[in-house]
Amino acid sequence: ERDIFEYIELWYNKKRRHSTLNYLTIKEFNNLKINYKYAA
């Protein structure tokens, strides 16, 4: 169970594209949020 949890939370969720984030990965989305913060 732990291995499955780690795979999903630490690898898969970071790599997959999320439809609610306009098909960006979490890392790509977070990079956009940082850019918006400094754009204002």
Side-chain angles (χ1 to χ4, degrees), residues 17-30:
R17 300 190 179 274
H18 298 263
S19 61
T20 57
L21 302 178
N22 200 24
Y23 294 98
L24 297 172
T25 64
I26 291 176
K27 185 175 182 180
E28 291 169 335
F29 180 75
N30 286 337

Side-chain angles (χ1 to χ4, degrees), residues 4-22:
I4 294 170
F5 174 81
E6 287 180 359
Y7 169 76
I8 292 171
E9 291 299 322
L10 301 178
W11 189 84
Y12 178 75
N13 277 341
K14 291 181 182 179
K15 298 286 185 182
R16 78 177 176 100
R17 300 190 179 274
H18 298 263
S19 61
T20 57
L21 302 178
N22 200 24

